[in-house]
Amino acid sequence: MVEIVPSILSADFARLGEEIARVEAAGVRMLHLDVMDGHFVPNMTIGPPVVESIRRVTRLRLDVHLMIEKPERHIESFIAAGADQVSVHQETCPHLDRTLRFIQSLGATAGVVLNPATSLSTLDYVLPVADFVLLMTVNPGFGGQELIPYCLGKIRDLADRRSRLGLTFPIEIDGGVNGDNLVELVRAGADWIVTGSSVFRSADPAATVAEMMRLAAQATAVRV
Ligand code: DX5
Ligand code: ZN
């Protein structure tokens, strides 16, 4: 089933609880939390204390996207704070296999993320280990950017590899998704659709999410 996964990056952090409640009421099942360190990406965001506060106000699955150097140093704190899923960038993990298994050993779901320019072939050997793969469809660091068009072919290629290998991991995508490109992204093979500014900068986030869920369900029916 395709999931719409709101990213709080573009939410109003002074009213975060209310913002989360709105999208939860619309029926989403996961919430995407972007962690940035000002090194791997130019921006800085939240750490484990904020994840812990969010954990107290929602039952949604917390999908923590680590855009930080040396993520293995912080994985345990994010899981202790309430992360259900943790994804790490291939570009930050010289011991990717170990890092994914470490996340799993702590009881969380382990994802690996690729920047737009990073080849799928970097995951050849580790695909059977990852619980999900997140393809960045913008360069990470900021909300509100435009989707990079070549990423569409990359989603298709990953979906092809997945079926050739007989694997079933979900493909998550992140960045630049809106109501206009959602359908082709789902048709290309995306299962979990992260969306930040389209939702939280809209007049009615709950209605926007509901509409995106409707479009995604419709697109799944005619997936190629
Ligand atoms: C970007 C983050 C995204 C961001 C997406 O580096 O990883 O999760 O919130 O925002 P939009 O949907 O506005 O591109
Ligand atoms: Zn993200």
Side-chain angles (χ1 to χ4, degrees), residues 15-95:
R15 299 172 34 248
L16 202 47
E18 287 166 49
E19 297 269 71
I20 293 170
R22 283 168 157 185
V23 293
E24 189 162 6
V28 302
R29 300 199 290 192
M30 293 157 64
L31 193 68
H32 186 82
L33 309 181
D34 288 303
V35 177
M36 305 185 186
D37 65 354
H39 292 275
F40 177 60
V41 291
N43 205 357
M44 286 194 270
T45 56
I46 63 168
V50 177
V51 175
E52 207 179 320
S53 301
I54 293 173
R55 179 72 294 164
R56 285 199 290 268
V57 299
T58 183
R59 298 179 64 180
L60 295 175
R61 277 186 77 74
L62 299 182
D63 178 39
V64 173
H65 174 194
L66 296 181
M67 285 163 275
I68 60 177
E69 284 174 7
K70 304 201 188 306
E72 63 282 355
R73 291 187 182 174
H74 302 283
I75 285 165
E76 215 164 342
S77 319
F78 280 103
I79 293 174
D84 298 290
Q85 311 186 165
V86 175
S87 58
V88 291
H89 274 256
Q90 183 276 342
E91 300 86 357
T92 63
C93 291
H95 304 289

Side-chain angles (χ1 to χ4, degrees), residues 4-22:
I4 299 296
V5 190
S7 158
I8 60 162
L9 188 62
S10 298
D12 178 352
F13 274 69
R15 299 172 34 248
L16 202 47
E18 287 166 49
E19 297 269 71
I20 293 170
R22 283 168 157 185

